[in-house]
């Protein structure tokens, strides 16, 4: 144990079964970011059960998108988990998830979820808001995290919605393009976030 | 330097008023109907001309034509911005350059709509063209890009219209609707009687086009810009933005690939969320991160300051 700490660097995890791999990873610069996409059964405790194998196998949880509003045709709830771990450990985490009976849909490096907030303004209700939302969700790179709607002059008049989306890393521009087309088609005004620069 | 000023609005008269502080002489000042011109070797009576202008009297006995006959070194083109052919501003610049004189513009039209032709005329002339005052009023935008070199600048984004920014700021602060705040802005003199170009994004787009032309060394006109105004932004949209720590600003964005102007979400306490009639410009550079400059984007003395700084930069 004390030998391992000396050779493997700062790891406090007792389950290092391949010390030479661990030290190679350490020399490599440490942690990489990964995303796993899971489908959970809609039962209490499922989310916790899915997260345990990740932390137990050396993964550090970064963020969790629990898409309750986006239930799959089989009645499962998609969950996207961003984590970081030493590159050598990622396969072990995925195996542990599968061993625990968790349905892993997709697993890979750097499919980090970005968040994107936009406003939609116009006759949101008359242009079928639920259709608008399901159109957005059909974009494989985006899922709706939440929506706030205000219609100060009644549902028949102009209303505004703030929509927060989880977007796959590097795909924000394509998601925005789809949103522009959707807004154009329905005569809605899309207010996009200002991106670019460091701000 | 001997300056001839075309256009006797807020900018033209302010240039005339401040020129002596910068060590320059005014040899001609013209509005659309008359002109005051100096005799050879002399300069015009600036206070007299400004007084006549303020009293709605003719500036002088000469015509605009006579200004071109004076012994001017620099033509200050400060006539109202026009779209399309950008006349008569473009014609004025052409005449001065063909006579090997320098041109400093406050007028956005020629540099937004006919940039390439203007640069061709400049190449064939001993005079040069500068137009700092056309973008961001008093804020040194083009000279900053010039100092960084345009190749090292990847994008320029900014709040480039004070009227639209005043309206959005007031709407967000008071929860008032667009029409109400516009009327208030007109009462305060912040918005013109016809505010169309300010609120529909045209004015910001012209500035964006000029910036894109500087970055890409030409190729753009207003027709290439993707422009959306602020007229249909309801107070409820600003409220939703504020709940999320954000607000809406009319942002112009210029890159080598094009120009985009439209209402955008920006962090409420971020640099881009300047308030009232303030403008801000973000210059995104290849090697030095982002540079920000903010200040007054319009106004007579403010814009005249940019004009006179340009005169000082002439070779």
């Amino acid at each position: 144990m004390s030998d391992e700490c000396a050779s493997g660097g700062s790891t406090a995890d007792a389950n290092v079964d391949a010390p030479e791999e661990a030290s190679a990873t350490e020399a490599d610069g440490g942690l990489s970011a990964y995303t796993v996409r899971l489908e959970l059964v809609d039962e209490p405790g499922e989310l916790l059960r899915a997260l345990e194998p990740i932390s137990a196998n050396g993964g550090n949880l970064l963020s969790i998108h629990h898409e309750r509003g986006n239930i799959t045709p089989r009645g499962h709830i998609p969950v996207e988990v961003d984590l970081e771990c030493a590159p050598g450990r990622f396969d072990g985490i995925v195996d542990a998830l599968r061993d625990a009976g968790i349905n892993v849909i997709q697993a890979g490096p750097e499919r980090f979820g970005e968040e994107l907030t936009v406003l939609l303004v116009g006759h949101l209700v008359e242009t079928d808001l639920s259709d608008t939302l399901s159109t957005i969700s059909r974009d494989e790179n985006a899922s709706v995290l939440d929506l706030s709607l205000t219609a100060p002059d009644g549902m028949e008049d102009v209303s505004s919605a703030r929509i927060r989306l989880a977007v796959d890393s590097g795909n924000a521009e394509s998601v925005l393009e789809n949103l522009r087309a959707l807004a154009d088609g329905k005569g809605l005004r899309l207010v996009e976030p200002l991106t670019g620069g460091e701000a | 330097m001997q300056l001839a000023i075309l256009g006797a609005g807020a900018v033209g008269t302010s240039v005339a008023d401040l020129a002596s502080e910068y060590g320059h002489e005014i040899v001609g000042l013209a509005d659309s109907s008359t002109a005051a011109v100096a005799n050879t070797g002399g300069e015009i009576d600036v206070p007299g001309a400004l007084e006549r202008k303020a009293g709605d009297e003719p500036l002088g006995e000469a015509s605009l034509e006579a200004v071109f006959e004076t012994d001017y070194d620099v033509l200050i083109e400060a006539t109202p911005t026009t779209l399309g052919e950008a006349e008569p501003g473009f014609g004025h610049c052409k005449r001065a350059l063909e006579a090997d004189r320098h041109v400093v513009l406050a007028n956005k039209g020629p540099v937004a709509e006919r940039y390439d032709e203007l640069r061709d005329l400049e190449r064939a002339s001993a005079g040069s063209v500068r137009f700092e005052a056309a973008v961001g009023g008093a804020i040194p935008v083009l000279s900053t890009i010039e100092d960084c070199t345009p190749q090292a600048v990847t994008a320029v984004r900014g709040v480039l219209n004070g009227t639209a920014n005043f309206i959005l700021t007031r709407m967000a602060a008071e929860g008032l609707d667009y029409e109400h705040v516009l009327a208030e802005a007109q009462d305060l003199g912040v918005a013109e009687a016809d505010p169309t170009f300010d609120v529909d994004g045209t004015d910001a787009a012209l500035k964006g086009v000029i910036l894109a032309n500087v970055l890409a060394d030409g190729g753009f006109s207003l027709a290439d810009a993707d422009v959306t105004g602020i007229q249909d932004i309801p107070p409820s949209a600003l409220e939703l933005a504020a709940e999320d720590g954000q607000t809406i600003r009319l942002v112009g964005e210029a890159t080598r690939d094009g120009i985009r102007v439209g209402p955008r979400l920006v962090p409420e306490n971020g640099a881009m969320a300047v308030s009232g009639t303030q403008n801000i410009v973000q210059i995104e550079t290849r090697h030095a991160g982002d540079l920000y400059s903010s200040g007054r984007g319009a106004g007579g003395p403010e814009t005249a300051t940019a004009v006179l700084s340009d005169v000082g930069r002439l070779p």
Side-chain angles (χ1 to χ4, degrees), chain B residues 146-164:
Chain B
E146 199 175 359
D147 287 348
C148 297
T149 75
Q151 295 77 8
V153 174
T154 43
V156 183
R157 304 181 184 87
V159 171
L160 297 168
N161 186 281
T163 304

Side-chain angles (χ1 to χ4, degrees), chain B residues 73 96-97 99-103 121-129 314-315:
Chain B
D73 301 309
L97 288 168
D100 289 329
R101 312 296 171 83
H102 300 300
V103 173
L121 288 166
E122 185 191 29
R123 270 186 280 277
S125 169
S128 43
V129 177
L314 286 167

Side-chain angles (χ1 to χ4, degrees), chain B residues 31-232:
Chain B
D31 62 17
S32 53
S33 45
T34 63
V37 292
N39 298 320
T40 312
E43 50 181 313
I44 67 163
D45 166 21
V46 172
L50 296 183
E51 207 169 295
R52 289 195 293 280
K53 181 71 191 173
D56 267 341
E57 291 169 48
L59 273 172
E61 314 216 316
S63 67
L64 187 142
E65 198 65 20
V67 171
F68 287 100
E69 308 303 324
T70 63
D71 203 13
Y72 69 99
D73 301 309
V74 188
L75 185 81
I76 310 295
E77 177 29 74
T79 63
T81 295
T82 51
L83 308 183
E85 293 295 303
E87 291 293 4
F90 182 83
H92 296 155
C93 300
K94 183 168 191 273
R95 260 181 99 168
L97 288 168
E98 282 173 351
D100 289 329
R101 312 296 171 83
H102 300 300
V103 173
V104 171
L105 294 111
N107 178 354
K108 296 179 279 293
V111 258
E113 296 286 51
R114 300 177 74 178
Y115 187 87
D116 296 343
E117 290 172 74
L118 196 65
R119 286 300 196 195
D120 285 344
L121 288 166
E122 185 191 29
R123 270 186 280 277
S125 169
S128 43
V129 177
R130 303 195 64 93
F131 41 95
E132 177 69 82
V135 181
I139 307 171
V141 182
L142 301 178
S143 55
T144 307
I145 296 173
E146 199 175 359
D147 287 348
C148 297
T149 75
Q151 295 77 8
V153 174
T154 43
V156 183
R157 304 181 184 87
V159 171
L160 297 168
N161 186 281
T163 304
N165 204 58
F166 176 88
I167 293 172
L168 291 172
T169 307
R170 290 287 295 162
M171 284 175 69
E174 307 294 332
L176 297 169
D177 63 27
Y178 168 79
E179 299 296 338
H180 188 116
V181 175
L182 175 59
E184 181 194 64
Q186 284 168 326
D187 289 345
L188 288 170
V190 168
E192 293 171 40
D194 179 3
T196 312
F197 282 180
D198 293 317
V199 298
D200 76 358
T202 303
D203 175 71
L206 287 168
K207 293 163 182 167
V209 170
I210 295 169
L211 288 164
N213 277 330
V214 169
L215 295 185
D217 197 20
F220 297 103
S221 70
L222 185 59
D224 302 310
D226 173 2
V227 190
T228 309
I230 61 163
Q231 306 97 311
D232 5 313

Side-chain angles (χ1 to χ4, degrees), chain A residues 160 162 189 192 194 197-198, chain B residues 236 240 260 265 284 289-290:
Chain A
S160 303
R162 185 184 68 234
R189 164 63 46 82
E192 298 174 28
L194 182 67
E198 295 154 4
Chain B
S236 60
L240 282 176
R260 210 174 140 199
L265 280 170
E284 183 190 283
D290 296 338

Side-chain angles (χ1 to χ4, degrees), chain A residues 69-87:
Chain A
N70 213 1
I71 292 179
T72 68
R74 284 176 297 167
H76 293 176
I77 299 171
V79 175
E80 199 172 89
V81 180
D82 295 325
L83 60 97
E84 57 183 12
C85 65

Side-chain angles (χ1 to χ4, degrees), chain A residues 1-15:
Chain A
M1 185 66 187
S2 58
D3 281 349
E4 233 172 52
C5 284
S7 66
S10 62
T11 176
D13 194 325
N15 295 328

Side-chain angles (χ1 to χ4, degrees), chain B residues 248-267:
Chain B
I248 299 173
R249 287 291 177 262
L250 182 65
V251 175
E253 206 173 356
T255 64
R256 282 174 189 74
D257 300 322
I259 305 99
R260 210 174 140 199
V261 174
R264 306 287 283 271
L265 280 170
V266 299

